[in-house]
Amino acid sequence: MSDTTPRRVRVRAPELVGKGGWLNTGDRQYTLADLRGRIVVLDFWTFCCINCLHVLDELRELEEKHADTVVVIGVHSPKFVHEAEHQAVVDAVERYGVEHPVLDDPELATWKQYAVRAWPTLVVIDPEGYVVAQHAGEGHVHAIERLVTELEAEHGAKGTLRRGDGPYVAPESEPTALRFPGKALVLPSGTFLVSDTTRHQLVELAEDGESVVRRIGTGARGFADGTAEAAFNEPQGLALLDDGAVVVADTVNHALRRVDLASGEVTTLAGTGRQWWQGAPASGPAREIDLSSPWDVALFEGRVWIAMAGVHQLWAYDPAEGTVAVAAGTTNEGLVDGPGAQAWFAQPSGLAATADRLWLADSETSALRWVDTDGNVSTAVGTGLFDFGHRDGAAGQALLQHPLGVTALPDGSVAVSDTYNHALRRYDPATGEVTTLATDLREPSDAVLVGDDLVVVESARHRLTRLRLPEEAVRVEAVAHRTRRAATEVAPGKLQLDVVFQAPSGQKLDTRYGPSTRLLVSSTPPELLLAGEGAETELSRVLELNPAVVEGVLHVSAMAASCDDDPSIEYPACHVHQQDWGVPVRLVEGGADRLPLVLAGMDQE
């Protein structure tokens, strides 16, 4: 009798350790031994990361379908200092509707044990406690489900599979009028419209900013037009259209919605409900084009500009033509200024328009940037993906920490909702200075101007907070931070870069239209790379590192497309796997001469 058990590389899974302890378990602390017999999917995430939020949504169906065999465990691994605060993780788990146990690992102990290099990363552990697969980036859940089905059959036959209820225990909900609100808008009537993100609704509040006038949307995740039956999925940005209606960035539905304020009727302006992937059309009739996590909207130059956080771009919707198109950004994540088509963004999350500038909060680079009427992109504050903090003064050396909102002020200056610093900051283009307007806010995500006051969306306190615009800024002690990830020590000179990709079981690389893989490499500073930068189709490449540069960041973007490997299927299902890595490196004699990055599979070397 032949053995049909699949041959897999298996590595004993390291223990799950996190100083912050466990969430969503009813205070029980778990070890891997407690989970023996179950298929465990570790989701290494951090709550600032839009790709991590995409994976949370991708996992929901898998969790539901395999509830009696699969245990998903989020391992929260912070990038920003604020994300290492335990209460911030507690808030994020509720904010994003995470319905599985989460291990709070503020010191990246488990991240290091599993040799993770990117957010998000998914690791599959079989019922006997062995790692059998690792996937970086998003778009892998179809492959994981196929693997889960194989593991269920294999370990069911061996008697090593244990079915039953999982360890998830739902936290108690709190009765507040708003729950993690995202953005706000002052309506012509003087009332406020607020995106009540975690409750999937829009809430109109009276002029006092507290009394509820009405709620729009059922309050349950969904994607439905209409009035009483209208449904949203984690809505965020709001803007008034010229016809008096409101356009809504319906983030997790990957859509723009329109709300008729008189009737409360909701219709869909743009998006299909599906997430945009590389290779999909990036312009055309708005209802036929996929979008990717639109986070904010603003009317500028006659179009609705969209902070398309999910693909690090700005798009624009043309109300007259009913079309959408990319307006700026390449989909590469980083901070690069210049003509819109060449600019790089990193999760743009807040927009505010003036007559001649569209201001934007570029959250992952902790930056304040703007687009002029010619489409050129410039940076006022911020230097890149790995530097952040709270420092006032000249804009060139000032620091923010993951800002989500931006508000144009009457004097031409800009207020920044400096979310992870719990502060409201101000940038004055006339002087080039950054100051602090207010502190002791809790994750402010937006602000609107009302007379001489700023009304701030204090997201993690579930309320709007009114602040008098101060004559002088608050003074704060300057603090600078770098990302908590340790730099990888590599040798100067030649470095073998290998992106590991193994097509999922039952699939093969899709070569029908040419090469199915792509690798793009660059560096900060650019002088770090003497050779090896640029785009090629091979997933392995020899880089040459400049010995004169002590440290820097390698930016690696990889893509692979695979399709069902069954000649009998006329229209095989195809999937795009992609991930961007920012790998901090330090050049030292005797350092590593190979850098493996796992896109999907297991590194065999």
Side-chain angles (χ1 to χ4, degrees), residues 282-307:
S283 64
R287 291 292 303 274
E288 299 174 17
I289 302 297
D290 299 338
L291 309 181
S292 183
S293 297
W295 207 275
D296 203 5
V297 281
L299 206 59
F300 180 62
E301 296 273 285
R303 296 183 293 167
V304 176
W305 285 62
I306 309 164

mmCIF file of all heavy atoms in Angstrom, residues 282-307:
data_model
loop_
_atom_site.group_PDB
_atom_site.id
_atom_site.type_symbol
_atom_site.label_atom_id
_atom_site.label_comp_id
_atom_site.label_asym_id
_atom_site.label_seq_id
_atom_site.Cartn_x
_atom_site.Cartn_y
_atom_site.Cartn_z
ATOM 1 N N ALA A 282 -6.883 50.112 -13.337
ATOM 2 C CA ALA A 282 -6.714 51.195 -12.368
ATOM 3 C C ALA A 282 -7.431 52.465 -12.814
ATOM 4 O O ALA A 282 -7.174 53.541 -12.277
ATOM 5 C CB ALA A 282 -5.231 51.473 -12.156
ATOM 6 N N SER A 283 -8.314 52.339 -13.771
ATOM 7 C CA SER A 283 -9.145 53.469 -14.187
ATOM 8 C C SER A 283 -10.318 52.916 -14.978
ATOM 9 O O SER A 283 -10.256 51.807 -15.519
ATOM 10 C CB SER A 283 -8.349 54.461 -15.049
ATOM 11 O OG SER A 283 -7.950 53.846 -16.267
ATOM 12 N N GLY A 284 -11.398 53.706 -15.011
ATOM 13 C CA GLY A 284 -12.564 53.287 -15.777
ATOM 14 C C GLY A 284 -13.859 53.652 -15.072
ATOM 15 O O GLY A 284 -13.859 54.433 -14.108
ATOM 16 N N PRO A 285 -14.983 53.089 -15.537
ATOM 17 C CA PRO A 285 -16.279 53.360 -14.900
ATOM 18 C C PRO A 285 -16.226 52.996 -13.419
ATOM 19 O O PRO A 285 -15.829 51.885 -13.056
ATOM 20 C CB PRO A 285 -17.243 52.458 -15.665
ATOM 21 C CG PRO A 285 -16.579 52.218 -16.995
ATOM 22 C CD PRO A 285 -15.109 52.197 -16.705
ATOM 23 N N ALA A 286 -16.621 53.925 -12.569
ATOM 24 C CA ALA A 286 -16.360 53.808 -11.136
ATOM 25 C C ALA A 286 -16.945 52.552 -10.511
ATOM 26 O O ALA A 286 -16.348 51.955 -9.618
ATOM 27 C CB ALA A 286 -16.874 55.050 -10.416
ATOM 28 N N ARG A 287 -18.136 52.120 -10.973
ATOM 29 C CA ARG A 287 -18.775 50.958 -10.365
ATOM 30 C C ARG A 287 -18.162 49.638 -10.837
ATOM 31 O O ARG A 287 -18.508 48.569 -10.316
ATOM 32 C CB ARG A 287 -20.283 50.955 -10.687
ATOM 33 C CG ARG A 287 -21.091 52.052 -10.010
ATOM 34 C CD ARG A 287 -21.172 51.863 -8.503
ATOM 35 N NE ARG A 287 -21.735 50.565 -8.139
ATOM 36 C CZ ARG A 287 -23.028 50.318 -8.018
ATOM 37 N NH1 ARG A 287 -23.906 51.285 -8.225
ATOM 38 N NH2 ARG A 287 -23.452 49.115 -7.681
ATOM 39 N N GLU A 288 -17.250 49.699 -11.816
ATOM 40 C CA GLU A 288 -16.641 48.482 -12.357
ATOM 41 C C GLU A 288 -15.188 48.290 -11.928
ATOM 42 O O GLU A 288 -14.568 47.277 -12.255
ATOM 43 C CB GLU A 288 -16.700 48.520 -13.899
ATOM 44 C CG GLU A 288 -18.120 48.581 -14.450
ATOM 45 C CD GLU A 288 -18.149 48.775 -15.964
ATOM 46 O OE1 GLU A 288 -17.099 48.537 -16.614
ATOM 47 O OE2 GLU A 288 -19.204 49.185 -16.473
ATOM 48 N N ILE A 289 -14.637 49.250 -11.184
ATOM 49 C CA ILE A 289 -13.219 49.218 -10.821
ATOM 50 C C ILE A 289 -13.080 48.854 -9.343
ATOM 51 O O ILE A 289 -13.748 49.433 -8.479
ATOM 52 C CB ILE A 289 -12.551 50.588 -11.092
ATOM 53 C CG1 ILE A 289 -12.702 50.966 -12.572
ATOM 54 C CG2 ILE A 289 -11.088 50.562 -10.687
ATOM 55 C CD1 ILE A 289 -12.019 50.026 -13.542
ATOM 56 N N ASP A 290 -12.201 47.897 -9.048
ATOM 57 C CA ASP A 290 -11.925 47.527 -7.661
ATOM 58 C C ASP A 290 -11.111 48.632 -6.989
ATOM 59 O O ASP A 290 -10.243 49.247 -7.620
ATOM 60 C CB ASP A 290 -11.119 46.221 -7.602
ATOM 61 C CG ASP A 290 -11.863 45.037 -8.228
ATOM 62 O OD1 ASP A 290 -13.100 45.110 -8.326
ATOM 63 O OD2 ASP A 290 -11.192 44.060 -8.597
ATOM 64 N N LEU A 291 -11.358 48.856 -5.714
ATOM 65 C CA LEU A 291 -10.584 49.793 -4.903
ATOM 66 C C LEU A 291 -9.876 49.013 -3.793
ATOM 67 O O LEU A 291 -10.070 47.809 -3.670
ATOM 68 C CB LEU A 291 -11.498 50.869 -4.293
ATOM 69 C CG LEU A 291 -12.438 51.621 -5.252
ATOM 70 C CD1 LEU A 291 -13.250 52.672 -4.491
ATOM 71 C CD2 LEU A 291 -11.671 52.266 -6.392
ATOM 72 N N SER A 292 -9.061 49.710 -2.989
ATOM 73 C CA SER A 292 -8.335 49.015 -1.918
ATOM 74 C C SER A 292 -8.248 49.897 -0.673
ATOM 75 O O SER A 292 -7.434 50.802 -0.600
ATOM 76 C CB SER A 292 -6.929 48.627 -2.380
ATOM 77 O OG SER A 292 -6.265 47.906 -1.359
ATOM 78 N N SER A 293 -9.123 49.620 0.279
ATOM 79 C CA SER A 293 -9.145 50.306 1.579
ATOM 80 C C SER A 293 -9.081 51.824 1.462
ATOM 81 O O SER A 293 -8.148 52.454 1.973
ATOM 82 C CB SER A 293 -8.007 49.797 2.472
ATOM 83 O OG SER A 293 -8.173 48.441 2.744
ATOM 84 N N PRO A 294 -10.067 52.433 0.811
ATOM 85 C CA PRO A 294 -10.111 53.905 0.810
ATOM 86 C C PRO A 294 -10.312 54.405 2.239
ATOM 87 O O PRO A 294 -11.229 53.968 2.923
ATOM 88 C CB PRO A 294 -11.324 54.221 -0.076
ATOM 89 C CG PRO A 294 -12.191 53.002 0.012
ATOM 90 C CD PRO A 294 -11.249 51.845 0.166
ATOM 91 N N TRP A 295 -9.440 55.319 2.713
ATOM 92 C CA TRP A 295 -9.464 55.723 4.122
ATOM 93 C C TRP A 295 -9.988 57.142 4.321
ATOM 94 O O TRP A 295 -10.526 57.472 5.370
ATOM 95 C CB TRP A 295 -8.059 55.597 4.711
ATOM 96 C CG TRP A 295 -8.054 55.354 6.193
ATOM 97 C CD1 TRP A 295 -8.121 56.303 7.172
ATOM 98 C CD2 TRP A 295 -7.972 54.091 6.862
ATOM 99 N NE1 TRP A 295 -8.092 55.704 8.413
ATOM 100 C CE2 TRP A 295 -7.997 54.345 8.256
ATOM 101 C CE3 TRP A 295 -7.870 52.764 6.426
ATOM 102 C CZ2 TRP A 295 -7.929 53.330 9.205
ATOM 103 C CZ3 TRP A 295 -7.796 51.758 7.379
ATOM 104 C CH2 TRP A 295 -7.833 52.043 8.750
ATOM 105 N N ASP A 296 -9.812 58.004 3.330
ATOM 106 C CA ASP A 296 -10.349 59.363 3.451
ATOM 107 C C ASP A 296 -10.655 59.903 2.066
ATOM 108 O O ASP A 296 -10.158 59.367 1.052
ATOM 109 C CB ASP A 296 -9.363 60.281 4.182
ATOM 110 C CG ASP A 296 -10.059 61.491 4.828
ATOM 111 O OD1 ASP A 296 -11.314 61.554 4.780
ATOM 112 O OD2 ASP A 296 -9.364 62.359 5.386
ATOM 113 N N VAL A 297 -11.472 60.955 2.040
ATOM 114 C CA VAL A 297 -11.888 61.577 0.783
ATOM 115 C C VAL A 297 -11.896 63.094 0.967
ATOM 116 O O VAL A 297 -12.139 63.596 2.067
ATOM 117 C CB VAL A 297 -13.297 61.096 0.344
ATOM 118 C CG1 VAL A 297 -13.228 59.723 -0.288
ATOM 119 C CG2 VAL A 297 -14.282 61.084 1.513
ATOM 120 N N ALA A 298 -11.619 63.829 -0.127
ATOM 121 C CA ALA A 298 -11.664 65.290 -0.098
ATOM 122 C C ALA A 298 -11.911 65.803 -1.506
ATOM 123 O O ALA A 298 -11.388 65.238 -2.483
ATOM 124 C CB ALA A 298 -10.361 65.870 0.453
ATOM 125 N N LEU A 299 -12.694 66.857 -1.620
ATOM 126 C CA LEU A 299 -12.978 67.475 -2.919
ATOM 127 C C LEU A 299 -11.864 68.466 -3.248
ATOM 128 O O LEU A 299 -11.599 69.405 -2.484
ATOM 129 C CB LEU A 299 -14.334 68.187 -2.858
ATOM 130 C CG LEU A 299 -15.101 68.349 -4.172
ATOM 131 C CD1 LEU A 299 -15.386 67.002 -4.815
ATOM 132 C CD2 LEU A 299 -16.409 69.090 -3.930
ATOM 133 N N PHE A 300 -11.163 68.243 -4.363
ATOM 134 C CA PHE A 300 -10.038 69.080 -4.776
ATOM 135 C C PHE A 300 -10.013 69.149 -6.286
ATOM 136 O O PHE A 300 -10.046 68.124 -6.966
ATOM 137 C CB PHE A 300 -8.727 68.474 -4.236
ATOM 138 C CG PHE A 300 -7.477 69.239 -4.590
ATOM 139 C CD1 PHE A 300 -7.291 70.534 -4.154
ATOM 140 C CD2 PHE A 300 -6.472 68.646 -5.352
ATOM 141 C CE1 PHE A 300 -6.118 71.238 -4.454
ATOM 142 C CE2 PHE A 300 -5.304 69.333 -5.657
ATOM 143 C CZ PHE A 300 -5.128 70.629 -5.209
ATOM 144 N N GLU A 301 -10.005 70.366 -6.810
ATOM 145 C CA GLU A 301 -9.946 70.572 -8.258
ATOM 146 C C GLU A 301 -11.091 69.870 -8.987
ATOM 147 O O GLU A 301 -10.899 69.292 -10.072
ATOM 148 C CB GLU A 301 -8.598 70.079 -8.811
ATOM 149 C CG GLU A 301 -7.392 70.853 -8.285
ATOM 150 C CD GLU A 301 -7.091 72.100 -9.110
ATOM 151 O OE1 GLU A 301 -6.558 71.973 -10.221
ATOM 152 O OE2 GLU A 301 -7.421 73.202 -8.627
ATOM 153 N N GLY A 302 -12.277 69.872 -8.388
ATOM 154 C CA GLY A 302 -13.458 69.328 -9.053
ATOM 155 C C GLY A 302 -13.606 67.821 -8.992
ATOM 156 O O GLY A 302 -14.558 67.265 -9.535
ATOM 157 N N ARG A 303 -12.658 67.132 -8.346
ATOM 158 C CA ARG A 303 -12.749 65.675 -8.220
ATOM 159 C C ARG A 303 -12.699 65.269 -6.749
ATOM 160 O O ARG A 303 -12.178 66.012 -5.917
ATOM 161 C CB ARG A 303 -11.606 64.989 -8.981
ATOM 162 C CG ARG A 303 -11.637 65.200 -10.483
ATOM 163 C CD ARG A 303 -10.529 64.426 -11.184
ATOM 164 N NE ARG A 303 -9.200 64.926 -10.845
ATOM 165 C CZ ARG A 303 -8.063 64.286 -11.124
ATOM 166 N NH1 ARG A 303 -8.103 63.108 -11.744
ATOM 167 N NH2 ARG A 303 -6.901 64.799 -10.787
ATOM 168 N N VAL A 304 -13.212 64.090 -6.446
ATOM 169 C CA VAL A 304 -13.110 63.537 -5.099
ATOM 170 C C VAL A 304 -11.812 62.735 -5.036
ATOM 171 O O VAL A 304 -11.695 61.668 -5.650
ATOM 172 C CB VAL A 304 -14.310 62.626 -4.762
ATOM 173 C CG1 VAL A 304 -14.120 61.992 -3.386
ATOM 174 C CG2 VAL A 304 -15.617 63.408 -4.815
ATOM 175 N N TRP A 305 -10.835 63.264 -4.300
ATOM 176 C CA TRP A 305 -9.569 62.548 -4.142
ATOM 177 C C TRP A 305 -9.719 61.516 -3.031
ATOM 178 O O TRP A 305 -10.413 61.758 -2.031
ATOM 179 C CB TRP A 305 -8.430 63.514 -3.837
ATOM 180 C CG TRP A 305 -8.010 64.284 -5.061
ATOM 181 C CD1 TRP A 305 -8.782 65.145 -5.784
ATOM 182 C CD2 TRP A 305 -6.740 64.247 -5.705
ATOM 183 N NE1 TRP A 305 -8.072 65.656 -6.845
ATOM 184 C CE2 TRP A 305 -6.809 65.121 -6.822
ATOM 185 C CE3 TRP A 305 -5.546 63.581 -5.454
ATOM 186 C CZ2 TRP A 305 -5.734 65.336 -7.671
ATOM 187 C CZ3 TRP A 305 -4.473 63.793 -6.301
ATOM 188 C CH2 TRP A 305 -4.562 64.657 -7.404
ATOM 189 N N ILE A 306 -9.077 60.391 -3.221
ATOM 190 C CA ILE A 306 -9.231 59.249 -2.319
ATOM 191 C C ILE A 306 -7.860 58.863 -1.772
ATOM 192 O O ILE A 306 -6.927 58.600 -2.553
ATOM 193 C CB ILE A 306 -9.838 58.034 -3.065
ATOM 194 C CG1 ILE A 306 -11.110 58.426 -3.821
ATOM 195 C CG2 ILE A 306 -10.113 56.886 -2.096
ATOM 196 C CD1 ILE A 306 -11.526 57.403 -4.874
ATOM 197 N N ALA A 307 -7.738 58.822 -0.445
ATOM 198 C CA ALA A 307 -6.527 58.287 0.181
ATOM 199 C C ALA A 307 -6.646 56.767 0.146
ATOM 200 O O ALA A 307 -7.301 56.168 0.987
ATOM 201 C CB ALA A 307 -6.403 58.787 1.620
#
